[in-house]
Amino acid sequence: MYKKKPTQISSKAALSKVQFICSKQEKCCSDIRKKLQDWNISADDQDEIISSLIEDKFIDESRFTNFFVRDKYRFNKWGRIKISYHLKHKQIPERIINEALEQINDQEYKENLQDLLQSKLRSLKDDDPYQLKTKMYRFAQSRGFESQLSLNLIDDLLSELK
């Protein structure tokens, strides 16, 4: 199997490459650090490059987090738990995550989950209410919605069927 040779580029070239990347799309520090590691940039140079990017406003963790939350909520229909998990995986500070998640409108969030659950219910072929509830609950959990909210909405939907 052919194995790709790790690329070795200078710190200056790496800085201009990541500046270009950051000008095209919002990135966080961990994304850029991973990219720099792939290019075999030393840890000291990585820190220097990331500091430069932050100073020049190419990277802004809170701006990145706000975009991430908005996109994953609106387009991917993710719940707060899944969004938070992915942001923590990107090493975003808890305070920034919480501030971004607070921007989600609670009523819209609930309606969004209700629409997802109604759609899922239409696709299920089961007649057993327990099986329906279990499948819908697992679906809501996989989307990252809170347990209690999911259970309340599922109970409401299933009571309407009776």
Side-chain angles (χ1 to χ4, degrees):
M1 186 97 200
Y2 174 73
K3 189 166 183 173
K4 190 177 165 185
K5 259 187 174 178
T7 44
Q8 180 69 44
I9 62 173
S10 71
S11 296
K12 196 172 182 176
L15 176 62
S16 72
K17 273 186 156 186
V18 291
Q19 282 175 336
F20 178 76
I21 290 169
C22 291
S23 69
K24 291 278 189 197
Q25 183 182 17
E26 283 296 331
K27 296 286 183 186
C28 65
C29 292
S30 68
D31 290 344
I32 297 302
R33 187 170 300 279
K34 186 177 181 310
K35 179 77 64 189
L36 294 171
Q37 286 169 348
D38 292 345
W39 295 338
N40 294 323
I41 304 295
S42 72
D44 290 339
D45 287 342
Q46 288 178 28
D47 292 339
E48 203 173 295
I49 289 169
I50 288 175
S51 294
S52 171
L53 292 171
I54 291 170
E55 190 177 304
D56 296 337
K57 303 275 191 243
F58 280 99
I59 295 179
D60 182 340
E61 299 275 91
S62 62
R63 186 177 64 209
F64 167 81
T65 305
N66 287 332
F67 278 111
F68 188 91
V69 168
R70 195 171 24 245
D71 286 354
K72 296 303 179 189
Y73 171 66
R74 288 222 172 100
F75 301 119
N76 296 38
K77 307 284 190 223
W78 285 3
R80 289 184 178 112
I81 294 171
K82 188 169 185 171
I83 292 170
S84 177
Y85 172 80
H86 282 268
L87 287 169
K88 285 176 187 170
H89 185 72
K90 290 181 176 286
Q91 299 164 356
I92 303 294
E94 189 85 28
R95 176 187 56 78
I96 294 175
I97 295 172
N98 291 336
E99 287 172 7
L101 289 174
E102 284 174 11
Q103 294 177 6
I104 297 175
N105 178 306
D106 286 336
Q107 186 60 35
E108 184 183 323
Y109 185 76
K110 189 176 176 181
E111 289 169 6
N112 194 359
L113 175 57
Q114 191 166 12
D115 292 344
L116 286 170
L117 290 172
Q118 285 173 336
S119 174
K120 182 66 176 176
L121 182 59
R122 284 192 294 272
S123 73
L124 294 174
K125 305 289 185 242
D126 229 316
D127 286 336
D128 178 24
Y130 180 75
Q131 289 296 322
L132 284 173
K133 185 173 184 173
T134 304
K135 288 177 181 180
M136 290 174 65
Y137 179 73
R138 264 198 229 119
F139 172 75
Q141 295 306 287
S142 74
R143 288 298 185 101
F145 287 92
E146 294 83 349
S147 296
Q148 198 55 55
L149 176 63
S150 302
L151 288 171
N152 291 343
L153 290 175
I154 290 168
D155 287 340
D156 292 346
L157 283 173
L158 293 178
S159 68
E160 290 174 9
L161 288 179
K162 294 177 182 176

